[in-house]
Each structure stands twice: as structure tokens, then as C-alpha cells.
């Protein structure tokens, strides 16, 4: 049996940087249809990192097999290095309304939680 998990706290604000040099201030950032976790692959081991524990994500290198090299900075200051699955959309709202973007086009995420 699977324990009932509480919904993760919403991301209050986020700066999403695109590979083409643009950035968006996004409120309520979320990953539709998931438990709000990033999938990190480190040396063959898969780890699920909850968004509520992530402070920043910086991507580098090309996408290979839906994974991209990244450094994840946790809210406690620790850093995780590995490959993050980028085969999904992220969504939220900007001052113009609903917003979404494929994670493949993101260069960096800077998250903040209330």
C-alpha cells in the first residue's frame, strides 16, 4: 500500500532562464501530472528530488536520451551533479497570465518558496 502524501507547497516565485537569453518571472511553478519532483540520474542511479527542496537548477551541455547535465542546488546549500530528465513541461503564471514551456528549452531555474 502507498501512503497518502500531502501536496507539496507551491513555488511562490521563480526565475526561468531560456537558452536564447530570455527570462520569465513565474508564479506557482509546477510540473503538471507529477508529484513535483525532478528525476536526477547520477552514475546509473535514479533519484527523485522534490521541487520544495530545490533552490536552483543550472543546465549545461546537450540533451542525450531526454537527460541533460545539470547542477541542482538544494535549499540547504548542498549541490547535486548529474543528469536531469527534461522530457516534460513546466507551467505557472506570469503577469500576462498562464505560461508554460518545455523543460528542454530551459537554461536555469531559480526557485523560491514561502
Amino acid at each position: 500500500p502507498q501512503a497518502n502524501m500531502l501536496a507539496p507547497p507551491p513555488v511562490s516565485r521563480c526565475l526561468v532562464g531560456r537558452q536564447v537569453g530570455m527570462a520569465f518571472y513565474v508564479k506557482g511553478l509546477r510540473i503538471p501530472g507529477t508529484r513535483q519532483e525532478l528525476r536526477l540520474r547520477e552514475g546509473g542511479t535514479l533519484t527523485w528530488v522534490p521541487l520544495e527542496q530545490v533552490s536552483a537548477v543550472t543546465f549545461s551541455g546537450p540533451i542525450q536520451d531526454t537527460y541533460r547535465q545539470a547542477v541542482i542546488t538544494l535549499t540547504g546549500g548542498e549541490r547535486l551533479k548529474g543528469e536531469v530528465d527534461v522530457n516534460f513541461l513546466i507551467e505557472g503564471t506570469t503577469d500576462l497570465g498562464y505560461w508554460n514551456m518545455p523543460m528542454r528549452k530551459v537554461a536555469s531555474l531559480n526557485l523560491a518558496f514561502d
Side-chain angles (χ1 to χ4, degrees):
Q2 193 170 15
N4 289 335
M5 295 184 67
L6 297 175
V11 176
S12 61
R13 58 194 180 280
C14 176
L15 179 63
V16 179
R18 284 192 60 185
Q19 294 173 1
V20 294
M22 296 175 62
F24 299 91
Y25 285 101
V26 179
K27 295 179 190 172
L29 183 87
R30 59 189 284 328
I31 304 169
T34 70
R35 289 189 175 193
Q36 309 308 308
E37 299 169 322
L38 296 176
R39 189 161 71 177
L40 176 69
R41 184 168 67 182
E42 298 175 277
T45 303
L46 285 178
T47 306
W48 284 261
V49 183
L51 280 182
E52 64 189 7
Q53 296 177 4
V54 175
S55 175
V57 180
T58 306
F59 291 101
S60 62
I63 298 170
Q64 296 179 339
D65 300 327
T66 74
Y67 284 86
R68 188 166 179 207
Q69 287 291 325
V71 175
I72 297 176
T73 305
L74 301 178
T75 55
E78 300 89 358
R79 289 182 171 213
L80 303 174
K81 293 182 181 181
E83 299 172 308
V84 173
D85 182 12
V86 293
N87 195 27
F88 58 90
L89 283 176
I90 54 175
E91 68 178 19
T93 57
T94 66
D95 56 347
L96 299 175
Y98 176 78
W99 172 93
N100 71 29
M101 177 183 293
M103 192 67 164
R104 294 174 165 265
K105 295 186 178 187
V106 173
S108 64
L109 292 173
N110 291 309
L111 307 169
F113 291 86
D114 283 339

